[in-house]
Amino acid sequence: MLLDSLKRLEATIEAETEALDTNAEIDIEAVNRAKSQSLLELTRLARTVSADEIDATTGIVLARLHDKLTRNQVAVARHLRAVEEIGDTLAATLRAADSDGTYSARIGR
């Protein structure tokens, strides 16, 4: 059961990262729902499974998931920075369009 849950989360994370890396269309709400569901499943399972019960196969999947989460974090951060830059550019453009130069520190603006 734990292994199945980890593999589902792994597939979700991998799909999201791939979509972000290739600028493919992605249903963020669906991805977030799937990640939340996986977190809930893993939280419940963590209460019933001790570290001694984790076999080698599960350990490999956990290590692989860790690597995929790291890649996902980089991809999400890159997209957030892009959104911030676009927002800053739009804000600067709007400020420039609204200003007639009356209160500008520069003369002739």
Side-chain angles (χ1 to χ4, degrees):
M1 183 128 182
L2 175 61
L3 195 55
D4 292 337
S5 184
L6 289 170
K7 286 181 178 181
R8 275 192 300 278
L9 176 58
E10 183 180 24
T12 300
I13 295 299
E14 191 171 9
E16 179 185 38
T17 304
E18 181 67 24
L20 291 171
D21 284 346
T22 61
N23 292 319
E25 192 171 320
I26 184 171
D27 184 349
I28 295 293
E29 288 183 25
V31 170
N32 285 338
R33 254 191 323 274
K35 289 192 292 188
S36 292
Q37 181 64 37
S38 289
L39 179 59
L40 179 61
E41 285 177 20
L42 290 171
T43 300
R44 289 178 177 164
L45 287 169
R47 294 181 188 140
T48 63
V49 177
S50 70
D52 304 352
E53 296 176 71
I54 296 176
D55 61 7
T57 302
T58 305
I60 290 168
V61 172
L62 282 168
R64 200 171 56 212
L65 178 59
H66 179 271
D67 292 342
K68 289 181 181 188
L69 284 167
T70 300
R71 274 191 60 224
N72 182 264
Q73 182 180 14
V74 170
V76 169
R78 184 178 57 247
H79 277 261
L80 286 174
R81 279 192 309 274
V83 168
E84 288 174 354
E85 288 178 21
I86 290 168
D88 290 347
T89 301
L90 288 173
T93 301
L94 290 172
R95 278 193 303 274
D98 284 344
S99 175
D100 63 0
T102 303
Y103 301 103
S104 175
R106 293 184 287 180
I107 298 176
R109 169 119 185 164

